[in-house]
Amino acid sequence: IVDSSQAVQLDIPAALAVTALRNLLDNALRYSSSAVLLHIRIDPEHIIFRVEDEGAGMSDMERQQATQRFWRSGQGQGSGLGLSIVDAITQRYHGYFQLLEREEGGLIAHLSFPRKT
């Protein structure tokens, strides 16, 4: 049950927000050897999603290249479009997207979009 007085909306078309989050979750599930966690935080101006996985992770260089269209890691799975789509949506709608190394191994994907005012 959702309390409508607590409902918060993104300032981005719902279908695009779902696409961005689905791509992050799909990548995490595909490359993780264990659990994938999704954290959602709401602040006064943004809604922040954090996807954590326990996969092999990526080097600094791989994380920098990961949002380039058709780029794939050495594992060679997928089309290489998922993270580039996330990045394009984020840029178009004034969001924030970053891939970080997880201290325990794996990746953390930070995705944030402005709230609708």
Side-chain angles (χ1 to χ4, degrees):
I1 299 173
V2 176
D3 178 358
S4 62
S5 68
Q6 298 297 318
V8 178
Q9 293 183 336
L10 290 168
D11 196 15
I12 172 177
L16 293 177
V18 167
T19 296
L21 187 56
R22 182 182 56 223
N23 285 351
L24 290 180
L25 289 168
D26 181 55
N27 275 4
L29 290 167
R30 178 178 294 154
Y31 296 108
S32 181
S33 58
S34 188
V36 172
L37 299 174
L38 170 62
H39 303 272
I40 302 171
R41 187 169 55 96
I42 300 169
D43 73 22
E45 296 179 5
H46 300 89
I47 300 177
I48 301 107
F49 303 93
R50 188 175 79 213
V51 177
E52 295 185 29
D53 71 53
E54 298 177 356
M58 294 177 162
S59 69
D60 289 340
M61 183 178 288
E62 288 174 324
R63 286 195 311 275
Q64 291 173 10
Q65 295 173 330
T67 58
Q68 295 175 11
R69 288 179 25 188
F70 306 115
W71 182 87
R72 295 184 294 178
S73 70
Q75 298 165 351
Q77 298 178 2
S79 65
L81 290 173
L83 295 179
S84 67
I85 291 170
V86 173
D87 191 52
I89 292 170
T90 304
Q91 289 182 33
R92 171 77 168 95
Y93 290 95
H94 311 289
Y96 173 81
F97 173 54
Q98 183 178 26
L99 292 173
L100 300 169
E101 181 178 4
R102 191 169 169 265
E103 189 174 305
E104 303 86 0
L107 288 176
I108 299 172
H110 283 273
L111 177 66
S112 128
F113 290 110
R115 288 177 53 173
K116 188 174 256 182
T117 55

